[in-house]
Amino acid sequence: MRERLMALLLALVLGFVLWGQAAHAVDLGQPLDAAQIARFDITVFPDGRNLPKGQGSVSQGAALYQAQCAGCHGPKGIEGPAARLVGSDGFFGWTDPLRVLRIKNYPLLVQSVGARWPYATTLFDYVRRAMPYHAPKSLGDDEVYAITAQLLHMNGLVSATAVMDKDSLPRVEMPARDKTFSAWPQKP
């Protein structure tokens, strides 16, 4: 009789434990297939991996910049009120410690594309994800290439005739590249 009572008690304890685990099970959603993942897999890596097909020129980007960007960043990318996009190392540049003596207009140009972005590809990634501020992800890949080309040109990093695509964009040498350390693996 005592053994049956112990077996019944053990069965009750195990039942409560299993019921408790089932009640606290976390619903993590459902698996996605490759096509569903591809819609969200838009990360562009510093070495250019995952850049899409397409292209855009500086001249195309100039018109797009005035229509989509100038309202927040100013016609020249330095007026604001949003972050300045054009500039160099700021008031006291790392490469030009006497810059403070040479500045005539807009003396604080810190955190601009020309000063602090180590990879042109991440500029493309940021514009595609987050701009324009009022309608992020609304630009097509050709438009993002064109705006990226224009921003690089405004910073004196590419010529007025430059065309950016998945081959040319990773080759743009950014001044901040040597000032940063990348935690990304160089090759997957």
Side-chain angles (χ1 to χ4, degrees):
M1 178 72 175
R2 185 174 182 189
E3 293 170 350
R4 287 186 181 173
L5 186 59
M6 289 300 285
L8 179 62
L9 186 59
L10 181 61
L12 284 172
V13 168
L14 284 174
F16 279 118
V17 168
L18 293 175
W19 177 78
Q21 287 179 345
H24 291 27
V26 177
D27 183 12
L28 295 176
Q30 59 187 3
L32 299 176
D33 62 36
Q36 292 171 312
I37 292 172
R39 289 185 20 225
F40 300 100
D41 185 20
I42 63 169
T43 298
V44 174
F45 293 88
D47 62 3
R49 276 179 288 142
N50 218 18
L51 277 168
K53 294 178 182 176
Q55 67 177 23
S57 68
V58 171
S59 61
Q60 293 167 327
L64 283 166
Y65 178 86
Q66 293 306 317
Q68 300 289 339
C69 314
C72 294
H73 298 282
K76 296 179 181 176
I78 56 177
E79 298 88 352
R84 293 176 180 166
L85 301 175
V86 177
S88 60
D89 282 352
F91 191 71
F92 188 87
W94 295 107
T95 58
D96 183 7
L98 299 178
R99 185 169 192 270
V100 66
L101 302 174
R102 300 188 231 294
I103 295 173
K104 295 179 182 168
N105 297 320
Y106 311 107
L108 292 176
L109 302 176
V110 296
Q111 303 301 330
S112 66
V113 169
R116 300 289 182 228
W117 288 66
Y119 302 99
T121 53
T122 54
L123 176 62
F124 177 94
D125 185 77
Y126 183 77
V127 170
R128 183 165 69 165
R129 288 176 189 276
M131 295 291 132
Y133 186 74
H134 62 275
K137 295 183 183 176
S138 63
L139 300 172
D141 292 335
D142 289 344
E143 294 171 310
V144 176
Y145 274 119
I147 288 176
T148 302
Q150 172 63 6
L151 292 174
L152 294 171
H153 175 66
M154 292 167 74
N155 279 279
L157 301 172
V158 297
S159 73
T161 59
V163 175
M164 293 293 116
D165 59 22
K166 69 179 186 176
D167 296 320
S168 60
L169 188 60
R171 292 196 310 259
V172 175
E173 291 188 28
M174 302 294 283
R177 181 178 285 187
D178 294 337
K179 302 173 197 168
T180 59
F181 171 79
S182 176
W184 291 102
Q186 295 303 311
K187 295 290 176 187

